[in-house]
Amino acid sequence: MKWTIQQYGEIKNNKKCGNKVYITLCATHKNKMNSKPKLLFSSLVYKVSQRSTIKLSLIMFIVFYQNVVYAQQILNFDFEKTSIERTVRPWGWNKKTFAATEISMDSLTKFEGKYSFRMSYDLAQENDRIQTMSFGIEPHQLYEKTITIKGRIKTKGLTGSAYLSISNSDKSNPIEEVDSISEKISNSTDWQNVSISFFVQPAIRAVYFKLHHQGEGTAWFDDFSLVVDDKEFDEVEVADPFSKKQLEWIEDASHRIVGVDATPYDSRDVNSFDDLRPLKKLVRNAQIIALGESTHGSSEFFRLKHRILEYSVKELGVRIFGIEGNQLTVENINKYVLGGEGTAKSSMSGIFSVWYNEEVLNMIKWTRNYNDQHPDDKVEFAGYDMQNLSVPIDSLYGFLEKRSPELLETTSELLKNLKKDGNKWFTMSDSIKLEWFENSVKVLEKIRSHEHQWLTSANSGADSLEINWGIQYATLVKQFAENAYRGFRSYYRDLAMAENISWILSMRKTETRMLIWAHDYHISRGDHPNEKLNIYGGLSMGSHLSKKYGESYKAFAISTYEGEYWAMVGYRDFRQMKCPLHNSPKGTLDEALHQITLKTKSLGLLLDLSKARQFTWLTKATPMRFANHVNIEYGYWTRYSIPYQFDGIFFIDKTTSAKQLSKNN
């Protein structure tokens, strides 16, 4: 006797017992990247009578399917899965060097499947003839094991060589170390077997499998696989899954979110906030409420923030909304929401492209409408970033021209080189950037030396405000120069943004409450005593705010299990498009929350982490998604103690891409 379930799987190992038949259901899935069937689940036992007809609900099958298919890190070693660049580059593979070598997925010359990966170089192009493509492998399942990566290489007219290598970075030092190199293939050859082996030490943070192409000519790579203990893997585990008891705790600490949309700005409808009431208990009397986001381009994240803004304004008394944007650029939005200067869309000119969408536009329109209805109790927009130079330096010159022409002459001389070349800082030498920084400090000190005199002689509140802004212009210039000099890895930008948030609050009444918006990584509290378990090593914007404001600072991440977001193709390819998100692997909080949304049939959840620091299983280093304004295909490389970063997590199970605005109308 054999039972079948259409094309989805089969029922086998039937066992007759009396008038009952015990069956075991075993279904297989054909992996998108591999022609070999893959076991999805087994040993699902049904008890039926002999004459019964067995029907497996498609919905139930999909539930199993969603929970298993992408529950780990995919290894695209046979190059069958394409990236958003289609056949230009395989999914998960990234350039480690930027040579003139042409790369592509080749559907004509291949060993098996639909594609091979091709690297080709023409000597006439330039002297740089080295290209390396890299794929990072999660080591969790591989510790204390010898792994072998094997496959095939074909060459044509290759004057140099094509080969493989494995490198690693350990948990104490992110610098990669080359551990093993395969034999090198040169000249013109048919498909040659190559392999490379490596023992994975427990201290390793990540393993990198690399393909190398040197010299003039072409090389094809295909049919690679990871072998451990004579077994081939096309995916690897990322972390230990949560236990049943741990999932129960997470579920008990979670509150259902029933919607992400705020009240439309032009509607008389009243939004129900019953599902957001737990936020009030978590926030308590905090002056700064921070909302993060694990991507910079998900529609549901933006809309949820809009809804939380509405709730915070109406129920929590928030009167400033701070966005991760250049401070003086966002002032144009503030002028619109406070006084209707320009239009909602024109006020967005110059903001970061990831915010230039319908969702943010609707938030601005809602705020303007709210202010029209509450003229004596308005909500402000504020920016607190400092990556723009031209507006602050021009504003500073304008301020000094009016306030102190003599000081303007000195300032202009000190800042002339920064003004001329500052926007090309990434091409400048360290000595030049140091000079910019030192001169900007001198300017700020000179201006601050006049602060008391200027404020004492101020003849109105508006005059005092203008003086404070003048000093802030000089501060923004200094912050720009210091950030250029110290570099990205110093995380100085986060300190500067925290300082600007504090400045914004210092200019308002003491009781003013502020809602701020930035990436999850920026708002993280960084409270863990071990800096390695904190995002940015405890140097995030949120960590500075947490140290200064203590419990008066609250941080909430916003995450998802699956979907898509709007982002740039790469750090060198600025085209923007819809980018898919890798489904959250098992062992992540995102995947655990996904299970709970399926069980409770929820759109999303708010996870309360206020009591989470007492549990070792939850405070250990846990994989956390990172996807910013650029396409990130895997995104779970980093591990942090999440309860020490956030007071709670808003979770939306599935997201869609933000709706970009046209710049033409």
Side-chain angles (χ1 to χ4, degrees):
M1 177 185 289
K2 181 177 181 180
W3 301 83
T4 61
I5 309 174
Q6 298 179 9
Q7 70 268 35
Y8 300 115
E10 67 177 4
I11 298 171
K12 63 182 182 179
N13 299 333
N14 307 309
K15 178 181 179 183
K16 186 174 180 180
C17 182
N19 65 344
K20 304 291 184 181
V21 175
Y22 290 81
I23 59 176
T24 301
L25 176 64
C26 177
T28 58
H29 166 65
K30 196 172 184 180
N31 193 303
K32 294 180 181 179
M33 297 168 8
N34 200 314
S35 59
K36 294 174 283 189
K38 173 187 162 186
L39 182 67
L40 286 182
F41 55 88
S42 61
S43 300
L44 180 63
V45 179
Y46 286 81
K47 183 171 69 176
V48 297
S49 65
Q50 274 186 293
R51 296 182 180 180
S52 297
T53 300
I54 298 176
K55 294 181 179 179
L56 179 64
S57 165
L58 178 59
I59 294 176
M60 179 171 287
F61 185 83
I62 290 173
V63 168
F64 277 101
Y65 184 95
Q66 287 180 328
N67 273 304
V68 181
V69 174
Y70 293 119
Q72 302 176 26
Q73 184 199 9
I74 299 170
L75 304 178
N76 189 19
F77 289 178
D78 54 6
F79 314 111
E80 293 299 292
K81 183 176 175 62
T82 61
S83 67
I84 61 167
E85 298 172 79
R86 301 182 185 276
T87 56
V88 172
R89 176 180 59 82
W91 182 94
W93 287 91
N94 296 291
K95 293 181 180 179
K96 293 295 289 186
T97 58
F98 290 88
T101 308
E102 294 181 358
I103 63 170
S104 67
M105 298 170 70
D106 194 332
S107 62
L108 299 178
T109 302
K110 56 191 178 179
F111 183 82
E112 72 166 23
K114 293 170 61 179
Y115 301 106
S116 67
F117 182 60
R118 175 180 179 270
M119 287 197 274
S120 182
Y121 180 77
D122 179 358
L123 184 61
Q125 294 184 56
E126 59 176 66
N127 293 326
D128 184 359
R129 295 179 289 165
I130 302 173
Q131 182 65 280
T132 299
M133 299 293 293
S134 177
F135 192 105
I137 310 170
E138 287 278 6
H140 173 77
Q141 192 177 0
L142 310 175
Y143 286 133
E144 297 187 328
K145 295 180 179 178
T146 296
I147 65 173
T148 298
I149 298 176
K150 62 180 183 178
R152 293 172 170 84
I153 297 176
K154 179 178 180 177
T155 57
K156 181 179 180 181
L158 187 57
T159 60
S161 61
Y163 59 100
L164 323 174
S165 74
I166 291 180
S167 62
N168 78 84
S169 61
D170 64 37
K171 295 176 181 177
S172 61
N173 181 12
I175 303 299
E176 292 181 30
E177 296 183 4
V178 177
D179 294 286
S180 187
I181 297 177
S182 74
E183 61 181 301
K184 297 183 177 182
I185 310 298
S186 302
N187 303 316
S188 296
T189 66
D190 202 354
W191 292 104
Q192 301 289 309
N193 292 321
V194 290
S195 66
I196 191 169
S197 297
F198 173 68
F199 182 76
V200 183
Q201 299 281 359
I204 288 175
R205 183 182 65 86
V207 177
Y208 299 96
F209 171 36
K210 298 177 182 178
L211 311 177
H212 302 271
H213 177 281
Q214 292 180 308
E216 182 182 10
T218 303
W220 292 265
F221 304 81
D222 201 5
D223 194 35
F224 283 89
S225 61
L226 173 69
V227 180
V228 183
D229 297 332
D230 296 324
K231 295 180 181 178
E232 290 190 9
F233 286 71
D234 57 8
E235 60 183 23
V236 291
E237 293 178 359
V238 172
D240 293 329
F242 292 104
S243 68
K244 180 181 178 182
K245 186 175 181 180
Q246 291 165 352
L247 286 172
E248 288 173 351
W249 185 93
I250 295 172
E251 182 176 358
D252 289 342
S254 298
H255 307 275
R256 292 183 63 185
I257 298 296
V258 300
V260 297
D261 290 311
T263 303
Y265 67 91
D266 55 355
S267 171
R268 295 181 179 274
D269 295 340
V270 178
N271 206 338
S272 172
F273 295 120
D274 289 345
D275 57 330
L276 293 182
R277 303 295 176 196
L279 177 62
K280 189 171 187 177
K281 181 180 179 182
L282 287 172
V283 167
R284 297 182 182 177
N285 297 319
Q287 185 176 17
I288 304 174
I289 306 164
L291 299 178
E293 56 190 16
S294 56
T295 83
H296 273 330
S298 297
S299 175
E300 286 74 13
F301 291 176
F302 295 148
R303 287 150 55 198
L304 178 62
K305 287 185 179 184
H306 182 180
R307 185 167 182 244
I308 294 172
L309 171 63
E310 181 182 0
Y311 174 71
S312 299
V313 168
K314 293 179 177 179
E315 302 290 334
L316 303 180
V318 164
R319 288 299 176 266
I320 305 177
F321 178 70
I323 189 170
E324 184 188 343
N326 290 314
Q327 189 168 28
L328 300 185
T329 302
V330 178
E331 274 301 300
N332 294 327
I333 299 176
N334 197 38
K335 291 176 182 177
Y336 171 76
V337 300
L338 290 179
E341 185 175 321
T343 66
K345 188 174 179 180
S346 67
S347 75
M348 299 170 70
S349 177
I351 66 172
F352 295 148
S353 61
V354 288
W355 313 143
Y356 197 74
N357 54 54
E358 291 182 12
E359 292 84 354
V360 174
L361 177 64
N362 287 333
M363 189 183 301
I364 293 170
K365 288 180 177 179
W366 180 89
T367 307
R368 172 63 187 158
N369 185 61
Y370 179 88
N371 288 341
D372 279 346
Q373 297 177 22
H374 302 82
D376 298 323
D377 191 23
K378 293 183 177 181
V379 178
E380 298 180 66
F381 256 71
Y384 49 82
D385 207 345
M386 34 53 70
Q387 296 183 91
N388 178 281
L389 173 65
S390 57
V391 179
I393 203 167
D394 288 344
S395 298
L396 175 61
Y397 287 0
F399 167 77
L400 292 176
E401 184 177 17
K402 175 182 177 181
R403 187 70 51 176
S404 177
E406 301 82 6
L407 193 53
L408 171 60
E409 184 177 351
T410 303
T411 297
S412 300
E413 180 62 27
L414 286 169
L415 298 182
K416 65 179 182 181
N417 291 330
L418 175 61
K419 180 174 174 60
K420 176 176 175 287
D421 297 320
N423 289 323
K424 299 181 289 185
W425 63 267
F426 46 89
T427 66
M428 297 298 173
S429 67
D430 288 344
S431 60
I432 290 176
K433 289 184 282 190
L434 176 59
E435 178 187 321
W436 293 348
F437 170 47
E438 291 175 340
N439 286 345
S440 67
V441 170
K442 291 176 183 177
V443 167
L444 181 58
E445 289 175 347
K446 288 179 180 296
I447 290 175
R448 280 181 173 165
S449 69
H450 290 73
E451 180 180 5
H452 178 72
Q453 175 191 341
W454 287 342
L455 288 174
T456 301
S457 60
N459 52 31
S460 67
D463 197 26
S464 295
L465 180 61
E466 183 180 279
I467 292 166
N468 280 298
W469 266 113
I471 297 168
Q472 182 63 8
Y473 299 151
T475 300
L476 290 169
V477 172
K478 191 276 295 184
Q479 289 175 343
F480 178 93
E482 185 165 0
N483 190 52
Y485 171 63
R486 295 192 184 280
F488 170 76
R489 290 295 178 186
S490 71
Y491 302 112
Y492 169 75
R493 177 185 169 221
D494 278 71
L495 172 60
M497 290 194 294
E499 290 175 345
N500 292 336
I501 288 170
S502 293
W503 180 83
I504 290 167
L505 285 173
S506 73
M507 301 299 294
R508 273 75 178 177
K509 296 178 181 178
T510 305
E511 66 274 14
T512 302
R513 303 186 85 178
M514 184 175 185
L515 185 73
I516 63 175
W517 162 1
H519 195 277
D520 284 345
Y521 280 44
H522 288 311
I523 70 156
S524 60
R525 299 186 66 98
D527 287 345
H528 200 284
N530 181 352
E531 65 180 24
K532 293 179 182 178
L533 295 181
N534 290 324
I535 294 173
Y536 296 163
L539 297 176
S540 65
M541 176 186 77
S543 68
H544 296 295
L545 294 173
S546 180
K547 290 179 178 65
K548 180 172 182 176
Y549 293 92
E551 288 303 303
S552 196
Y553 175 75
K554 297 293 183 180
F556 299 88
I558 302 181
S559 63
T560 186
Y561 171 74
E562 64 176 326
E564 62 185 16
Y565 68 116
W566 188 262
M568 294 178 182
V569 172
Y571 286 102
R572 294 188 176 215
D573 187 341
F574 302 145
R575 291 175 299 154
Q576 293 183 310
M577 62 180 65
K578 293 179 181 180
C579 300
L581 288 168
H582 188 281
N583 288 21
S584 306
K586 284 185 178 180
T588 64
L589 266 177
D590 293 340
E591 197 274 338
L593 292 168
H594 165 67
Q595 291 189 46
I596 295 167
T597 59
L598 291 179
K599 179 180 177 181
T600 59
K601 299 179 180 179
S602 304
L603 174 148
L605 302 164
L606 168 56
L607 174 62
D608 177 355
L609 291 174
S610 60
K611 299 179 181 179
R613 294 186 183 183
Q614 62 184 299
F615 301 107
T616 304
W617 60 269
L618 198 51
T619 57
K620 68 180 182 180
T622 304
M624 180 179 163
R625 190 194 294 277
F626 176 85
N628 56 0
H629 62 290
V630 173
N631 172 50
I632 305 291
E633 290 168 332
Y634 172 59
Y636 277 93
W637 289 112
T638 52
R639 285 162 165 72
Y640 302 109
S641 180
I642 293 177
Y644 283 90
Q645 313 309 309
F646 308 109
D647 298 283
I649 297 176
F650 282 98
F651 176 80
I652 303 300
D653 192 53
K654 187 172 184 177
T655 59
T656 57
S657 172
K659 300 175 178 63
Q660 292 303 107
L661 292 171
S662 169
K663 294 185 181 293
N664 298 325
N665 53 51

